Amino acid sequence: MKIGNTNVGERPVFLAPMEDVTDASFRILCREQGAAMVYTEFVPSDGLIRDAAKAKAKMCTIAEEAPVAIQIYGNIPESMVEAARMADRASEICGGYGCDVIDINFGCPVNKIAGRGAGSGMMREPDKMVMITKMIVDAVDKPVTVKTRLGWDDSSKIIVPLAERLQDAGISALTIHGRTRCQMYKGEADWTLIGEVKANPRMHIPIIGNGDINSPQKAKECFDRYGVDGIMVGRASFGHPWIFREIRHYLDTGELLPPLSVGERVDLAKRQLRLSLDLKGEQRGVFEMRRHLSCYFKGLPDFKETRIKLVTTMDVGELFNTLDYVAERWGDVEIENPESIYGL
């Protein structure tokens, strides 16, 4: 499968963009664990064009995470176009790697984004969504992709005709989350309409499915049953970045990898922590690792007190010492049934 000139291999598995989760340290780790391509956190177009430091920082990438997509969101056409042009020049603006793909967020359902007409809020204005997409495709050199949902609610699942219109606007791939905006993340993702988009003989761009991929078996089922070109893993990767290696191994061999021991999880947590410290400095690096460390060891017995230490200390030495203690006390333990632990 290719997106523009970027070859992501056969049956690729992507890391979904997630706010406050998919920072550079996590993206690098997921790439090392087998993710075919990773996406930045959501970059607000209005903040980017106002030169807001936080928005610009989200756009900065490094070579170790490539291929990488920068995802932008907003609902003002001119701002979205200018933000896309900035993403197109991200290596020049940030001094880092830049990006291989520019992705448009038409899928985020949270109120602070969708409620003001951005993200999946654009599902209520499909004409405007297509117009913005076309304007961005015409304005940048990088391939443009879109991530969206089935529709605004159950009475307006417009994804099948909308997919054709977005393709006609010039996008290079389309990612579909199998829920409506009103569902948020509740209930089960409906992959039938994703499969219908893929089966549409008029569609020729890659279709990537997203929603409830929380095990290697589920990943294979979605490839086999719905015929998608790629799949995207979101929440199930949080505290579980090795899910990409598990899925990749199962797709390639038909065999399940054994569960990671706690000692192996500690090694990965230390790897991510070191990346976070290198990229963000000590204070921010430790602070922003807390949300990840709180999930790495879910399912361990008698772990509450140790978890509190992991997510409250700001001292780097104490944090590494606590991780060493976790490895020493629980190092040979295997946490069974990751699907129940990381399920959605």
Side-chain angles (χ1 to χ4, degrees), residues 8 72 116 119 126 129 142 168 200 212 237 294 300 302 344:
V8 291
I72 61 173
R116 55 190 180 95
M129 180 194 294
K142 298 280 195 317
D168 291 344
N200 182 349
D212 296 353
S237 69
S294 68
L300 278 182
D302 304 316
L344 308 182

Side-chain angles (χ1 to χ4, degrees), residues 35 90 113 137 154 158 181 231 234 240 264 284 312 329-330:
I113 293 178
V137 169
D154 285 341
I158 60 174
R181 187 273 165 181
I231 60 171
H240 187 190
E264 291 170 313
R284 187 170 160 227
T312 56
R329 178 172 176 184
W330 292 280

Side-chain angles (χ1 to χ4, degrees), residues 145-301:
T145 59
V146 162
K147 186 173 190 290
T148 190
R149 290 188 166 224
L150 303 179
W152 177 258
D153 56 25
D154 285 341
S155 65
S156 59
K157 293 182 178 179
I158 60 174
I159 190 57
V160 176
L162 179 62
E164 289 191 19
R165 296 182 66 191
L166 291 169
Q167 176 179 261
D168 291 344
I171 64 172
S172 297
L174 175 64
T175 300
I176 305 169
H177 183 106
R179 290 181 173 87
T180 65
R181 187 273 165 181
C182 289
Q183 280 183 272
M184 302 292 285
Y185 295 102
K186 298 176 182 177
E188 291 186 7
D190 177 7
W191 279 69
T192 56
L193 286 178
I194 301 175
E196 191 173 330
V197 171
K198 177 58 188 174
N200 182 349
R202 213 180 153 261
M203 297 298 295
H204 57 80
I205 61 173
I207 302 299
I208 302 162
N210 175 223
D212 296 353
I213 303 292
N214 58 3
S215 70
Q217 299 96 317
K218 182 69 173 180
K220 187 175 187 302
E221 176 192 348
C222 289
F223 273 118
D224 293 346
R225 178 176 296 183
Y226 303 104
V228 291
D229 300 283
I231 60 171
M232 184 173 281
V233 178
R235 289 170 293 155
S237 69
F238 191 25
H240 187 190
W242 60 94
I243 192 173
F244 297 99
R245 180 160 56 91
E246 293 173 331
I247 292 174
R248 185 76 270 147
H249 184 81
Y250 188 70
L251 291 175
D252 293 342
T253 69
E255 299 176 352
L256 290 170
L257 289 172
L260 252 61
S261 69
V262 173
E264 291 170 313
R265 292 173 186 236
V266 167
D267 289 340
L268 286 175
K270 286 182 175 180
R271 169 66 176 153
Q272 187 179 349
L273 176 56
R274 291 188 183 100
L275 286 168
S276 186
L277 294 170
D278 289 344
L279 293 168
K280 299 177 180 179
E282 183 170 320
Q283 183 172 2
R284 187 170 160 227
V286 170
F287 182 78
E288 296 191 3
M289 266 298 294
R290 288 176 171 180
R291 62 180 69 95
H292 295 275
L293 290 173
S294 68
C295 296
Y296 259 95
F297 307 106
K298 280 186 177 180
L300 278 182

